[in-house]
Amino acid sequence: MERPEERDPTPPGLRLVRDLINTLDVETDADALATADGLAALVHEHGLTGPPPTKRDLPDVIRLREGLRAACLAHTGARMPKETADRLAALLEDAPLVLTLDEEGAAALRPAGARTAAAALTAAVAAAVSAAAADGTWSRLKVCEAHDCRWAYYDRSPAGRRRWCTMAVCGSRAKMRTYRARRSSGD
């Protein structure tokens, strides 16, 4: 699906999370994480350091991606399955993080040294989610409700109640389906 070109409203810390979720295009089934090279490209694009990605990293990274997709879909009002929440919690529980303090005394979570690329990526994601939760932006990272899309986007609407990645495509399709269903039922 072609995504609208517009100024990126996603806060820098959440771009990693969004881009990880969007490594799978649900509509076309194209998966950038089908190979370790795809994972390496994501890691490189976001300037992450750590061990080079290998094929062994892919299952954990894919579980992380799908757990994050479910969490961001929950931001639109859907419930995250308990099993998915538990798997995501287990992955994040093992994320190697350290608390750092800068010269002004400001605290932040940062990824610590990791033995695998999957652990390093998970730590970077955990630090980004923690910072976004603290500044109130985490709940605005959402996943499109359209079953054939599931694209991650940042909801910059004033009320924060957007449900689709783009009204022009996914929103219009959903509204048309609702309209047709009403017409066929005689309402």
Side-chain angles (χ1 to χ4, degrees), residues 48-51 94-100 108-127:
L48 302 178
T49 59
D94 291 337
L97 296 168
V98 294
L99 179 67
T100 61
L109 283 176
R110 302 273 185 247
R115 294 180 187 207
T116 67
L121 178 62
T122 302
V125 164

Side-chain angles (χ1 to χ4, degrees), residues 10-21 46 48 64 68 72 75 92 95-98 100 107-112 119-141 154:
T10 310
L14 286 178
R15 288 181 186 152
L16 170 63
V17 180
R18 181 205 57 205
D19 291 351
L20 173 59
I21 294 169
H46 287 277
L48 302 178
L64 177 64
L68 291 167
C72 291
H75 293 162
L92 293 171
L97 296 168
V98 294
T100 61
L109 283 176
R110 302 273 185 247
L121 178 62
T122 302
V125 164
V129 170
S130 175
D135 72 16
T137 58
W138 169 238
S139 64
R140 286 187 173 257
L141 186 63
Y154 187 76

Side-chain angles (χ1 to χ4, degrees), residues 28-45:
T28 65
D29 207 30
D31 190 348
L33 298 181
T35 67
D37 289 342
L39 177 56
L42 176 74
V43 165
H44 176 73
E45 178 182 338

Side-chain angles (χ1 to χ4, degrees), residues 61-117:
V61 172
I62 289 169
R63 279 191 288 277
L64 177 64
R65 174 186 70 195
E66 295 312 314
L68 291 167
R69 184 185 314 279
C72 291
L73 183 59
H75 293 162
T76 66
R79 303 255 325 142
M80 183 172 18
K82 181 175 177 4
E83 180 180 298
T84 303
D86 290 346
R87 275 195 311 264
L88 182 57
L91 285 168
L92 293 171
E93 185 177 294
D94 291 337
L97 296 168
V98 294
L99 179 67
T100 61
L101 299 171
D102 66 15
E103 299 81 32
E104 288 83 39
L109 283 176
R110 302 273 185 247
R115 294 180 187 207
T116 67

